[in-house]
Amino acid sequence: MAEQKSSKAVHRGMVCLDLDGTLLNRSGDITDRNRESLQLSLEQGLAVYFVTGRPYCFARSLADSVDKRIGVIACAGACYEEGGRLVTKELSGETIRSFTDALALSGAHAFFKGLTRFYTHDAYDDRFLYDHHNSWFSAGLQVQSFTELSWQDLKEQACHIHKILVYGMEREGLMALAAHTQRIPHAQVSWYRDISFDVTAEGTDKGSAVEQVRRGLGLTKEQVLAIGDAWNDLPMFRSAGRAIAMGNAAREVKEICHEVTGTNEEDGVAQVLEQQGRYFAAEITGVL
């Protein structure tokens, strides 16, 4: 576990934000308006967390580029900052080997992601690997990818893995692989879109990590606000007292949320956080 700077701050609540399709726009940027809304939330005494399927190296570095007070839940809940430390949930070697055997027969693609080391049978793919981001990653979070590995080398070398990202364009085959993976001991499957799913350790998802962090902060479920757009955000929404879907969210996401905000091209996150900020400002002045 990597040590993080501890904080004794008392928080009014917790804001949980997905990244892709939520805080990040189509270009992968955080707009000025969204940045200002994050600062507003922090100044209002809210704990702000990026809650993402992205690896820790990316999420922590992005948070640092905005404000170091922002916390991180990464790798679909397999890495999270809590109580001044980084908690990680790793897939067992047996689980990794069993999954690799199934993957070899499936025709799907997969990327095995650790803290700073990634492994794949495929060639380098900048959609899923991060070496090309090293120039702006925070100190100590530069990554190295090991690509085009044989299946045997993959089973032998992939260790300390937090998440396996799996994708395939052949839907039936991908569903069969997901069903098989769900039967592997100590593995959990979380769908992102209909062509991609994540494999994490059993009991690991965005929601379980949010619950751990909010308990550590001494907050109730009702004090948690979550904003997201995809299927893997559903566990996070179930762990929040107020769940908000982006305007560009999947239909299933919108159906279970309390409300819908603007799209990620319309600063939907800022629309919510500005409203939240006005509420707290009114509460402080007594003008509700």
Side-chain angles (χ1 to χ4, degrees):
M1 294 182 181
E3 293 297 321
Q4 300 288 322
K5 187 176 180 180
S6 64
S7 172
K8 301 290 186 179
V10 176
H11 296 97
R12 293 171 171 271
M14 180 180 179
V15 174
C16 299
L17 303 171
D18 174 54
L19 293 181
D20 294 285
T22 301
L23 183 64
L24 302 179
N25 62 18
R26 194 178 298 119
S27 300
D29 298 321
I30 302 177
T31 66
D32 289 342
R33 183 181 177 189
N34 276 341
R35 284 177 180 270
E36 290 168 5
S37 72
L38 295 175
Q39 293 289 343
L40 173 65
S41 294
L42 291 166
E43 295 306 318
Q44 294 288 353
L46 295 171
V48 176
Y49 270 76
F50 290 170
V51 185
T52 180
R54 294 265 200 164
Y56 182 75
C57 55
F58 180 89
R60 182 66 260 164
S61 300
L62 185 67
D64 287 343
S65 74
V66 179
D67 192 300
K68 293 184 182 298
R69 292 175 292 176
I70 294 172
V72 165
I73 294 172
C75 274
C79 302
Y80 60 88
E81 296 171 350
E82 191 269 325
R85 60 179 182 157
L86 175 62
V87 179
T88 60
K89 308 288 187 179
E90 296 181 1
L91 287 159
S92 71
E94 181 181 353
T95 299
I96 290 171
R97 289 188 290 273
S98 295
F99 172 79
T100 303
D101 286 338
L103 175 68
L105 300 173
S106 72
H109 308 270
F111 298 84
F112 297 60
K113 303 188 178 187
L115 194 62
T116 58
R117 292 191 168 202
F118 301 159
Y119 306 84
T120 183
H121 177 70
D122 284 23
Y124 188 89
D125 190 326
D126 62 11
R127 296 173 298 173
F128 309 116
L129 299 174
Y130 290 82
D131 305 55
H132 56 293
H133 289 303
N134 277 334
S135 61
W136 67 268
F137 277 177
S138 299
L141 292 178
Q142 280 69 41
V143 302
Q144 183 178 8
S145 295
F146 301 86
T147 62
E148 301 181 88
L149 298 174
S150 70
W151 297 118
Q152 186 60 35
D153 285 344
L154 188 56
K155 289 194 287 185
E156 293 176 358
Q157 294 182 33
C159 58
H160 304 299
I161 300 302
H162 305 139
K163 187 189 90 164
I164 304 172
L165 182 152
V166 188
Y167 87 93
M169 303 307 293
E170 203 281 297
R171 172 71 170 164
E172 186 175 342
L174 193 66
M175 290 185 68
L177 176 60
H180 177 87
T181 303
Q182 195 66 70
R183 294 192 293 271
I184 295 175
H186 313 301
Q188 178 162 317
V189 169
S190 300
W191 285 91
Y192 173 62
R193 297 288 191 193
D194 59 359
I195 61 168
S196 179
F197 65 85
D198 293 333
V199 184
T200 54
E202 186 177 16
T204 301
D205 56 31
K206 288 186 177 185
S208 61
V210 167
E211 288 187 8
Q212 286 296 119
V213 172
R214 67 97 175 156
R215 286 176 185 153
L217 293 172
L219 300 173
T220 66
K221 176 180 176 178
E222 288 67 34
Q223 291 174 287
V224 178
L225 180 157
I227 310 176
D229 73 305
W231 297 344
N232 66 346
D233 293 319
L234 298 181
M236 174 177 72
F237 290 139
R238 288 193 286 269
S239 297
R242 184 181 173 201
I244 301 177
M246 297 296 292
N248 51 284
R251 175 181 55 81
E252 297 88 344
V253 172
K254 291 179 179 178
E255 288 176 349
I256 75 155
C257 286
H258 299 104
E259 58 190 277
V260 178
T261 185
T263 71
N264 63 326
E265 292 298 307
E266 300 168 336
D267 294 327
V269 167
Q271 292 176 30
V272 175
L273 298 187
E274 288 165 0
Q275 179 188 54
Q276 190 81 5
R278 286 192 292 271
Y279 169 81
F280 282 123
E283 184 185 52
I284 292 168
T285 60
V287 182
L288 292 174

